[in-house]
Amino acid sequence: DAKTTQPNSMESNEEEPVHLPCNHSTISGTDYIHWYRQLPSQGPEYVIHGLTSNVNNRMASLAIAEDRKSSTLILHRATLRDAAVYYCILRPYSGAGSYQLTFGKGTKLSVIP
Amino acid sequence: DTGVSQNPRHKITKRGQNVTFRCDPISEHNRLYWYRQTLGQGPEFLTYFQNEAQLEKSRLLSDRFSAERPKGSFSTLEIQRTEQGDSAMYLCASSARDSSPLHFGNGTRLTVT
């Protein structure tokens, strides 16, 4: 399985931007980079995904390095509701690995009021 | 979109008893997944259904575990002769296609005493 490496924890002040890094040096050409987050006492929630180009949606932005060996999830203004564990996952476009999401331990984001 | 629904939210059982959990996916989703999550860890894949067919089972799914999805709608996960090591959060997810984001329920927390 393609692996990702994330810091165990990060802190951010409320209303400031947050940059959550992820390293994936063994990424293959057909792997999409997915981000999910898990709020306390809830199931994981899809955040964003991308292949090569930077992506934006209403929740976050995803910046992907040119060599695709790393990516950064950007929360533009952290709120207390963004405190969660954030998972960076590599997911093949098709085939068996496309449905079997492999979660690591993720990054626990704390937001300070 | 009513989301993925899981019942019960909590289950406490004595070692050796059988338990059954239910998952109702998003109605138009024909892919259904079960994951297990222990404290401090990311979710681990257990099994995957496409409509009523169970297409993949993890090695984590021992003989005491069985999952069904009759008629390709709701799914049940049964654990026979529960052990203390089965204590975990059991998460269900659904998606429209293999490459689509997964939508997770809020899980069933099992405690085996």
Side-chain angles (χ1 to χ4, degrees), chain A residues 19-81:
Chain A
H19 291 232
L20 296 162
C22 181
N23 288 321
H24 30 77
S25 59
T26 60
I27 190 170
S28 76
T30 57
D31 286 339
Y32 277 78
I33 302 158
H34 285 247
W35 284 81
Y36 283 73
R37 73 179 185 180
Q38 188 170 21
L39 279 65
S41 301
Q42 294 189 22
E45 172 188 32
Y46 166 79
V47 176
I48 200 167
H49 76 281
L51 184 63
T52 56
S53 304
N54 294 345
V55 185
N56 301 295
N57 66 19
R58 64 174 179 82
M59 290 180 70
S61 295
L62 177 60
I64 301 172
E66 197 170 334
D67 63 4
R68 300 210 324 125
K69 293 186 176 183
S70 66
S71 60
T72 302
L73 180 71
I74 302 166
L75 307 178
H76 295 287
R77 287 181 72 228
T79 70
L80 297 178
R81 293 182 58 186

Side-chain angles (χ1 to χ4, degrees), chain A residues 36 38 43-44 91 98 101 104, chain B residues 35 37 98 100 102 104-106:
Chain A
Y36 283 73
Q38 188 170 21
R91 188 182 188 193
S98 67
L101 292 184
Chain B
Y35 282 77
Q37 186 174 26
D98 282 346
S100 301
L102 272 62
F104 283 83
N106 286 330

Side-chain angles (χ1 to χ4, degrees), chain B residues 25-93:
Chain B
I26 293 172
S27 59
E28 62 267 27
H29 288 181
N30 58 14
R31 270 75 166 169
L32 187 144
Y33 318 77
W34 285 98
Y35 282 77
R36 182 175 72 183
Q37 186 174 26
T38 53
L39 204 61
Q41 305 296 317
E44 297 172 292
F45 171 79
L46 290 179
T47 190
Y48 161 70
F49 289 85
Q50 186 172 325
N51 298 309
E52 66 276 6
Q54 188 174 18
L55 298 186
E56 184 75 16
K57 289 197 293 185
S58 161
R59 289 172 297 158
L60 294 174
L61 215 64
S62 76
D63 292 345
R64 297 184 297 104
F65 287 69
S66 63
E68 293 183 344
R69 193 184 183 197
K71 303 178 184 177
S73 56
F74 72 92
S75 176
T76 58
L77 178 67
E78 181 184 16
I79 308 174
Q80 296 182 326
R81 305 181 304 281
T82 53
E83 302 172 355
Q84 287 189 320
D86 297 331
S87 295
M89 175 75 82
Y90 291 85
L91 293 160
C92 177

